Amino acid sequence: MYRMIGALLLSAGVALLTGPKLIAYLKKLHFGQTIYELGPAHQQKQGTPVMGGLMMAAGILVSSLAFHPARWSGGWDFIIPLLAVSFLNMCIGFADDYIKAVKKRHDGLSPWQKIAGQVIVAAGFSVYCYFCPAVGSSIRIPFAGTDWDLGIFYIPVMTLLGIFIVNSSNLQDGLDGLLGTVSAVGSSAWAVICLLLMLVPSLAGIADPDGVAVCGTFALATAGACVGFLRYNRYPAKTFMGDTGSMLLGGGAVATAMLLRLPVLLALIFFTPVMSSVSVILQRYYFKLTHGKRIFLMSPIHHHFEKKGYSETQIVSMYAGVTLILSLIAVLSILK
């Protein structure tokens, strides 16, 4: 418990302290956001530094390692895959941001380059979980309190899930403070779930209580990093997290869920990013089927709310409230 709180405070402190120098350095390098006319009127954000997600990465890395539980579980220690999945996805996002900001190529990495990297990371992590003694091929079904053994199909199913969640996180990052706020709330929910599992391991059939403690520490480290980052990313944003930060957070979320054998809870805790992806998919296929008609004024759906007249801060508050309510339901679901 104390380690988790320490990780929260240290992570927030690192993000807060590194923020000003990082933002100044990004401005010096002219790593600014390019705003295009296709979206809502955000022209005032032109040139805002991107890659601000690096300050979150610093907070998560330092605090997760500094407050790692005393016992080391060797090659199966959960801190290894948690950091690996988060930071490897971050590297893909960083490459995308770098190409956009420095090479001035609007599209960044090609879709195939990005997907190829995500497939490698997601598939590698799924294989790790499949063979890990504390995870395996079974996932916990919330509310029912039962397990579902996917067998060898665990690997392709979880690979697809990993790719979907990381890209959903990326799509959610479209308004000042939006993804950072949602992730802070969601990561806190994962930490509460970890605390409950540490008190009653049988709730999710956890074989490695130390692994749960690592996940809880990582979750609060992520929440703290998001809180520190929001000091510079809340409206009006002084920096954007970019794909660097959004893929870091998406990778961390899916890694936590899978290691706890609770990927189903992503549907609740990660609901708003998931709906960002769903809205884009629905919009695209409806547009093709109806030859030009749209379901939403614009997708992802947070831009639809903008078009309807909601301010950025109103949308962030609404998304935070939805995430909080659904996260509470997620926490209650494991008590079955």
Side-chain angles (χ1 to χ4, degrees):
M1 178 66 177
Y2 296 113
R3 289 180 181 274
M4 293 170 64
I5 295 174
L8 172 72
L9 298 175
L10 178 60
S11 185
V14 170
L16 284 168
L17 292 174
T18 57
K21 289 187 177 181
L22 176 62
I23 293 171
Y25 185 66
L26 293 173
K27 285 183 177 179
K28 182 180 178 180
L29 295 177
H30 303 290
F31 285 6
Q33 177 74 41
T34 301
I35 305 297
Y36 295 89
E37 297 293 341
L38 293 176
H42 290 167
Q43 299 308 313
Q44 74 278 9
K45 301 181 182 183
Q46 186 81 20
T48 301
V50 295
M51 302 185 194
L54 290 172
M55 71 179 78
M56 292 192 297
I60 292 171
L61 180 63
V62 171
S63 58
S64 293
L65 294 176
F67 289 96
H68 182 278
R71 281 186 54 185
W72 170 253
S73 301
W76 295 117
D77 195 297
F78 281 4
I79 196 61
I80 298 173
L82 283 169
L83 292 177
V85 174
S86 300
F87 281 79
L88 286 173
N89 277 295
M90 184 197 76
C91 288
I92 298 170
F94 180 87
D96 196 49
D97 285 337
Y98 183 85
I99 291 172
K100 291 176 183 175
V102 179
K103 303 297 183 181
K104 305 303 179 185
R105 281 168 39 193
H106 167 49
D107 293 332
L109 292 172
S110 70
W112 285 112
Q113 288 174 323
K114 190 179 293 187
I115 287 295
Q118 292 173 350
V119 167
I120 292 171
V121 175
F125 179 59
S126 297
V127 170
Y128 171 92
C129 289
Y130 181 80
F131 288 104
C132 178
V135 184
S137 59
S138 295
I139 61 175
R140 196 71 166 175
I141 306 301
F143 295 109
T146 60
D147 290 347
W148 181 19
D149 191 348
L150 298 175
I152 194 62
F153 293 104
Y154 177 92
I155 295 174
V157 170
M158 291 300 114
T159 297
L160 291 174
L161 176 67
I163 296 168
F164 178 74
I165 291 298
V166 168
N167 283 300
S168 296
S169 180
N170 190 25
L171 286 172
Q172 180 89 99
D173 183 35
L175 300 177
D176 294 356
L178 181 57
L179 181 58
T181 301
V182 167
S183 295
V185 176
S187 295
S188 298
W190 284 119
V192 173
I193 288 171
C194 288
L195 281 173
L196 290 174
L197 296 179
M198 289 162 63
L199 293 172
V200 189
S202 61
L203 288 175
I206 296 298
D208 182 10
D210 289 331
V212 177
V214 170
C215 288
T217 301
F218 177 84
L220 276 192
T222 301
C226 290
V227 170
F229 175 70
L230 285 170
R231 167 66 179 80
Y232 310 104
N233 183 242
R234 70 175 188 267
Y235 184 85
K238 297 180 176 64
T239 185
F240 300 139
M241 67 172 68
D243 290 2
T244 303
S246 63
M247 291 189 178
L248 169 80
L249 295 176
V254 74
T256 302
M258 287 173 61
L259 289 174
L260 293 175
R261 301 175 60 242
L262 291 167
V264 176
L265 288 186
L266 286 167
L268 294 172
I269 297 175
F270 220 64
F271 176 79
T272 59
V274 167
M275 287 309 300
S276 292
S277 283
V278 171
S279 68
V280 170
I281 294 169
L282 290 175
Q283 184 88 317
R284 181 170 298 175
Y285 282 99
Y286 188 77
F287 184 86
K288 290 181 179 179
L289 290 172
T290 60
H291 304 288
K293 293 183 179 180
R294 291 177 169 84
I295 300 174
F296 309 105
L297 296 177
M298 186 175 179
S299 64
I301 196 170
H302 50 262
H303 290 317
H304 169 82
F305 292 124
E306 272 196 288
K307 292 283 191 179
K308 295 289 286 185
Y310 290 86
S311 69
E312 291 191 50
T313 53
Q314 286 176 321
I315 296 170
V316 171
S317 297
M318 176 174 63
Y319 273 50
V322 169
T323 303
L324 178 60
I325 292 171
L326 293 178
S327 293
L328 289 173
I329 295 174
V331 170
L332 293 174
S333 74
I334 69 165
L335 297 177
K336 173 66 177 180

